[in-house]
């Protein structure tokens, strides 16, 4: 049952989050400039640090960085405003082209076309709405015919002072906010170390290491994101403006500058930036070729930016999952409007950093972060339980692009089977669930047979190359270095039988072992644990086997192995017989190999996949186990013994 303290902590955290959202929404007029100032501080801090390294005083470095940043922003805003005004004046010039293209579309649709039908539908709907509105209006004879009133608009001349006030008043708010942001940024940069110390004293004085790491993580992620995103956007906006100018799109500079701003909005920003240029491509030229070229320009730049520029410039990711970026954009846009949409990603990065370093907010890291919350073997086990074999196979193939098959099975497949065995041992799996789990695991392993065949071909080619190099002087010691630190023996010409020890999951582990050893060139076959019973053991394919391996996932199942080893020893005296007790990577060995091998009369004992392959493909001979002699027990009767003793004494 869930403890009351746990529930109280969860309720307190939920209440805190709700209260924080309410405060963010109600006090947005105050918090929005502060948030902008904090993010600009993160972005300008590296520039200030660079200027400080150039031996500039702190005040001069801060003032210079802030002045340069806001001068660029001001010039940018003035150019955008002038360009927007020019576009508004030029729009009536394109009316004829727009009307002509609409007429062409109508003619293309024909009388029974889709466009004509849609037009007639809209006309009928409009007629019905107008008739309903006229019937709902009470009859008044004075409002019909020539009695309808005329609309009159009264213009009153304004005084110069009123006109000036009407112009200045809308600018007071933005200018005041800008000035407030500038002042806050300057003081935050000047007092950056002092503010950091105060924050540490307020929040994390008891854990200086964790709080300092959180501040450094947040500053690094947000600062790098803002600066790198700005660089990426500039490398996108400048070629866009040049391309639109070459194509003949009016005000190309404006659309390139707006693209730089809109690309701060995740996912939908580039779409917004492309809408008006595409509309102008329709309005400016009489044909459709300009629209096609403009759309092609946007697509080309998006491909280059997403696949070349961003991977090259980004030294680290933001740490957010794609879904979290979309949800954060919707949330901050609802909370703070368009500015919140632009600030959504850096603000959410700060929340993820908070969840990473503060245990009470760990759920933010789980919900919003891009790091896997399950280990690969846990993910595989969950996919097997959920019958999601396609996802399990895709994850395996993705990992096998960088790992060998034996590495994947050692780190993922066997630990996943160990989780299943633990659930079976504690009764969490029913018989049907256990059978489905084993069947799903067997199918996923079968899906990797093609990769196993490819690795086998590569190993054969490597062995041929090694043979050629060994005949060439100076190349005998040159070998391909791989990431797997175990030197696996060549299994060519050898035959191995893999047997599941005591359960259905042991049978799957035997199939995995056979697949791995087949990659090394050995002829392998896997059979199930039901073939180990005395009545069926003689039907096992034991002829010509170099090794026979029995595998167990549960240490308690080893008690069944001694009888099986003895029977197999009599049936296949020339085969090495080994036992493998599967363990997770990095775990300690539960038994001593030599003592356990001596006690169970096995030729070798292994605890990992690599050690099992080495033992099974070894050239060592099987141990010579001499059958123990049965001691005869003689029962003598007490009377007979006494009589013999008396006779002996008499003879003496």
């Amino acid at each position: 049952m869930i403890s009351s303290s746990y529930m109280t902590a969860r309720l307190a955290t939920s209440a805190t989050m709700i209260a924080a959202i309410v405060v963010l929404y109600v006090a947005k007029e105050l918090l929005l400039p502060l948030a902008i100032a904090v993010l600009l501080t993160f972005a300008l801090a590296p520039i200030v640090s660079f200027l400080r390294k150039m031996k500039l005083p702190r005040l001069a470095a801060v003032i210079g960085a802030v002045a340069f940043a806001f001068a660029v922003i001001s010039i940018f805003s003035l150019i955008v405003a002038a360009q927007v005004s020019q576009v508004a004046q030029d729009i009536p010039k394109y009316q004829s082209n727009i009307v002509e293209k609409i007429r062409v579309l109508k003619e293309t649709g024909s009388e029974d076309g889709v466009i004509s039908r849609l037009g007639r539908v809209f006309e009928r709907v409009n007629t019905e709405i107008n008739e309903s509105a006229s019937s709902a209006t009470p009859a008044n004879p004075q409002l019909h015919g020539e009695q309808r009133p005329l609309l009159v608009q009264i213009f009153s001349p304004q005084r110069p002072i009123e006109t000036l006030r009407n112009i200045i008043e809308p600018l007071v708010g933005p200018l005041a906010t800008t000035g407030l942001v500038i002042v806050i940024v300057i003081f935050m940069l000047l007092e950056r170390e002092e503010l950091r110390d105060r924050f540490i004293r307020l929040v994390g004085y008891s854990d200086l290491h964790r709080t300092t790491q959180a501040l450094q993580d947040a500053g690094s992620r947000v600062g790098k994101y803002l600066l790198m995103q700005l660089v990426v956007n500039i490398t996108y906006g400048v070629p866009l403006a040049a391309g639109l100018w070459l194509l003949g799109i009016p005000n190309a500079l404006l659309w390139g500058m707006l693209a730089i701003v809109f690309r701060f909005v995740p996912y939908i920003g580039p779409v917004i930036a492309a809408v008006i240029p595409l509309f102008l491509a329709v309005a400016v030229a009489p044909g459709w070729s300009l629209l096609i070229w403009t759309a092609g320009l946007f697509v080309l730049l998006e491909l280059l930016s997403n696949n070349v520029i961003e991977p090259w410039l980004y030294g680290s990711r933001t740490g957010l999952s794609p879904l979290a970026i979309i949800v954060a954009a919707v949330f901050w846009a609802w909370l703070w409007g368009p500015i919140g949409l632009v600030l959504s990603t850096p603000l959410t990065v700060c929340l993820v950093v908070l969840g990473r370093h503060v245990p009470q907010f760990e759920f933010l890291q789980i919900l919003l972060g891009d790091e896997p919350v399950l280990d690969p073997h846990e993910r595989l086990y969950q996919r097997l339980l959920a019958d999601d074999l396609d996802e399990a196979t895709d994850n395996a193939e993705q990992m096998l692009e960088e790992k060998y098959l034996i590495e994947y099975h050692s780190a993922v497949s066997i630990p996943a089977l160990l989780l299943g065995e633990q659930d079976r041992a504690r009764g969490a799996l029913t018989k049907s669930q256990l059978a489905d789990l084993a069947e799903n695991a067997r199918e996923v392993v079968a899906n990797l047979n093609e990769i196993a065949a490819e690795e086998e071909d590569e190993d054969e080619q490597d062995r041929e190359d090694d043979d050629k190099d060994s005949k060439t002087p100076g190349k005998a010691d040159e070998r391909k270095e791989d990431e797997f630190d175990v030197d696996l023996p060549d299994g060519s010409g050898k035959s191995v039988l893999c047997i599941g020890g005591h359960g259905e999951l042991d049978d799957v582990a035997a199939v995995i072992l056979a697949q791995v050893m087949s990659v090394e060139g050995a002829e392998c076959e896997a059979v199930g644990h039901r073939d180990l019973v005395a009545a069926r053991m003689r039907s096992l394919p034991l002829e010509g086997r170099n090794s026979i391996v029995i595998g167990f996932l549960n240490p308690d199942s080893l008690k069944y192995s001694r009888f099986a080893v003895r029977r197999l020893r009599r049936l296949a005296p020339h085969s090495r017989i080994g036992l493998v007790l599967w363990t997770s990577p990095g775990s300690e060995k539960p038994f001593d190999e030599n003592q356990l091998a001596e006690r169970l009369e096995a030729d070798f004992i292994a605890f990992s996949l690599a050690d099992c392959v080495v033992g099974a493909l070894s050239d060592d001979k099987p141990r010579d186990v001499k059958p123990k002699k049965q001691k005869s027990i003689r029962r003598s009767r007490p009377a007979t013994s006494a009589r013999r003793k008396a006779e002996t004494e008499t003879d003496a």
Side-chain angles (χ1 to χ4, degrees):
M1 296 179 63
I2 300 176
S3 62
S4 58
S5 60
Y6 177 82
M7 291 297 298
T8 303
R10 285 297 183 185
L11 290 175
T13 303
S14 302
T16 302
M17 295 299 297
I18 294 173
I21 293 173
V22 171
V23 170
L24 289 173
Y25 183 79
V26 173
K28 65 179 180 180
E29 298 295 335
L30 173 64
L31 296 177
L32 190 56
L34 184 61
I36 296 174
V38 171
L39 295 179
L40 287 176
T41 301
F42 279 127
L44 295 178
I47 300 176
V48 174
S49 299
F50 175 76
L51 294 177
R52 290 281 292 156
K53 292 179 181 179
M54 303 298 292
K55 306 303 181 181
L56 283 179
R58 177 181 296 274
L59 182 61
V62 171
I63 297 298
V66 174
F68 174 77
F70 280 94
V72 172
I73 294 174
S74 300
I75 295 173
F76 187 91
S77 302
L78 291 175
I79 295 175
V80 170
Q83 292 285 317
V84 168
S85 176
Q86 184 178 354
V87 170
Q89 295 176 1
D90 294 341
I91 281 182
K93 299 178 182 178
Y94 315 131
Q95 183 177 358
S96 59
N97 285 332
I98 297 174
V99 172
E100 178 64 21
K101 290 186 177 180
I102 293 175
R103 185 186 63 79
V104 171
L105 288 175
K106 284 186 175 182
E107 292 178 354
T108 305
S110 73
E111 187 66 23
D112 295 329
V114 177
I115 298 176
S116 299
R117 292 179 182 178
L118 291 176
R120 290 196 295 268
V121 169
F122 287 133
E123 288 177 1
R124 286 197 297 268
V125 172
N126 190 25
T127 303
E128 291 293 335
I129 293 174
N130 292 334
E131 290 179 356
S132 300
S134 61
S135 62
T137 305
N140 189 347
Q142 295 182 356
L143 298 180
H144 294 281
E146 298 179 356
Q147 301 295 328
R148 293 183 179 179
L150 298 176
L151 297 178
V152 179
Q153 187 174 3
I154 301 175
F155 294 94
S156 59
Q158 293 182 348
R159 297 178 181 179
I161 296 178
E162 294 179 354
T163 303
L164 185 61
R165 185 180 64 185
N166 293 334
I167 296 175
I168 294 177
E169 281 184 352
L171 300 177
V172 171
L175 290 176
T177 302
T178 303
L180 180 62
V181 170
I182 293 175
V183 172
I184 294 175
V185 170
I186 291 175
F187 278 94
M188 280 187 171
L189 289 173
L190 288 174
E191 303 291 334
R192 185 176 56 170
E193 288 78 8
E194 182 68 21
L195 289 174
R196 181 181 59 192
D197 295 342
R198 292 181 182 275
F199 181 79
I200 292 175
R201 182 67 178 87
L202 180 65
V203 176
Y205 184 70
S206 60
D207 195 347
L208 291 175
H209 172 72
R210 174 175 291 181
T211 309
T212 302
Q213 188 177 4
L215 289 174
Q216 291 177 346
D217 193 4
S220 175
R221 288 198 183 196
V222 175
K224 285 184 178 180
Y225 167 76
L226 292 174
L227 290 178
M228 290 298 99
Q229 187 65 45
L230 178 61
V231 173
V232 170
N233 293 356
I234 291 175
T235 59
Y236 178 89
V238 172
L240 177 64
L244 293 177
W245 177 74
L246 292 175
L247 292 175
I249 302 296
N251 305 100
L253 179 61
L254 172 63
W255 315 126
M257 298 175 72
L258 289 180
I260 295 175
V261 177
F262 284 135
R263 279 185 61 85
F264 279 102
V265 180
Y267 296 109
I268 62 173
V271 178
I272 298 174
V275 169
I276 299 180
L278 292 175
F279 172 77
L280 288 177
V282 175
V284 171
W288 299 97
S289 59
L290 183 59
L291 175 63
I292 297 174
W293 282 106
T294 305
L297 176 63
F298 276 99
V299 172
L300 176 62
L301 290 177
E302 280 295 324
L303 292 176
L304 290 176
S305 180
N306 295 332
N307 299 299
V308 179
I309 304 298
E310 290 186 5
W312 175 50
L313 288 178
Y314 276 116
S316 61
R317 298 181 181 273
T318 60
L320 301 179
S321 65
L323 180 60
I325 293 176
I326 296 175
V327 174
V330 174
F331 173 77
W332 289 107
W334 166 76
L335 203 63
W336 285 351
I339 299 180
L341 187 64
V342 176
L343 302 179
S344 61
T345 300
L347 290 175
T348 310
V349 168
C350 295
L351 293 179
V352 171
V353 172
L354 179 67
R356 172 175 296 180
H357 298 284
V358 180
Q360 292 81 357
F361 298 99
E362 185 180 3
F363 67 94
L364 293 174
Q365 164 69 13
I366 296 175
L367 291 176
L368 304 176
D370 62 347
E371 297 179 357
V373 296
L374 294 177
D375 291 334
H377 69 280
E378 295 173 333
R379 194 184 315 160
L380 174 61
Y381 181 54
Q382 190 277 330
R383 300 300 189 272
L384 296 177
L385 288 175
D387 293 332
D388 193 355
L389 303 185
D390 293 336
E391 181 69 18
T393 304
D394 292 341
N395 291 337
E397 292 176 349
Q398 184 177 0
M399 293 187 66
L400 286 170
E401 292 178 358
E402 301 177 356
K403 294 181 178 294
Y404 291 105
L405 191 66
I406 187 173
E407 292 179 277
Y408 172 78
H409 283 317
S410 299
V412 181
S413 300
I414 297 298
L417 294 179
L418 288 171
L419 290 178
E421 178 62 25
Q422 293 173 7
D423 286 346
R424 184 206 63 80
R426 64 186 181 91
L429 294 175
T430 63
K431 290 184 178 180
S432 61
Q433 290 175 337
L434 181 62
D436 293 340
L437 176 64
E439 183 61 29
N440 291 339
R442 193 186 299 270
E443 187 171 345
V444 171
V445 175
N447 292 338
L448 303 180
N449 284 335
E450 184 177 352
I451 296 178
E454 293 177 358
E455 285 195 14
E456 183 179 0
D457 294 339
E458 292 177 1
D459 288 348
E460 290 180 359
Q461 184 63 37
D462 291 340
R463 284 191 288 269
E464 292 178 1
D465 294 341
D466 290 342
D467 293 339
K468 293 179 181 179
D469 293 341
S470 62
K471 298 177 181 179
T472 303
K475 290 189 176 182
D477 296 332
E478 294 182 4
R479 292 183 179 271
K480 179 184 176 182
E481 295 183 0
D482 52 38
E483 298 178 0
F484 203 65
D485 57 355
V486 177
D487 188 14
L488 299 178
D490 183 12
S492 300
K494 296 181 180 179
S495 179
V496 181
L497 178 65
C498 305
I499 308 175
H502 190 62
E504 298 179 55
L505 297 181
D506 292 336
D507 298 345
V508 180
V511 174
I512 292 174
L513 178 61
Q515 187 182 68
V516 169
M517 284 195 288
S518 67
V519 172
E520 302 305 320
E523 179 187 351
C524 297
E525 185 177 353
V527 296
H529 67 285
R530 293 184 177 87
D531 294 324
L532 278 180
V533 297
R536 304 178 61 177
M537 194 172 292
R538 291 184 177 276
S539 61
L540 287 173
L542 303 176
E543 186 69 26
R545 301 293 181 182
N546 299 94
S547 298
I548 303 171
V549 183
I550 309 174
F552 299 91
L553 291 167
N554 194 331
D556 296 336
S557 301
L558 283 175
K559 58 187 178 182
Y560 302 103
S561 63
R562 190 169 186 177
F563 169 77
V565 170
R566 287 181 177 179
R567 295 275 298 181
L568 291 172
R569 183 79 64 188
R570 288 196 295 269
L571 295 174
H574 302 291
S575 301
R576 284 171 50 83
I577 301 176
L579 299 175
V580 53
L581 177 61
W582 302 110
T583 57
S584 298
S587 60
E588 297 182 358
K589 296 180 179 180
F591 306 101
D592 181 78
E593 299 100 318
N594 297 327
Q595 294 180 1
L596 186 62
E598 187 68 27
R599 180 164 62 89
L600 299 179
E601 301 179 2
D603 293 303
F604 64 92
I605 299 292
F607 298 100
S608 66
L609 192 57
D611 292 340
C612 185
V613 173
V614 172
L617 299 182
S618 173
D619 294 327
D620 296 341
K621 295 181 179 180
R623 67 163 58 199
D624 185 15
V625 180
K626 297 180 179 180
K628 297 182 179 179
K629 296 181 179 180
Q630 296 287 341
K631 293 183 178 180
S632 59
I633 301 176
R634 297 180 180 179
R635 295 183 175 88
S636 58
R637 290 179 296 178
T640 305
S641 300
R643 186 175 66 251
R644 289 179 178 175
K645 183 177 180 181
E647 291 176 353
T648 303
E649 292 176 353
T650 302
D651 294 336

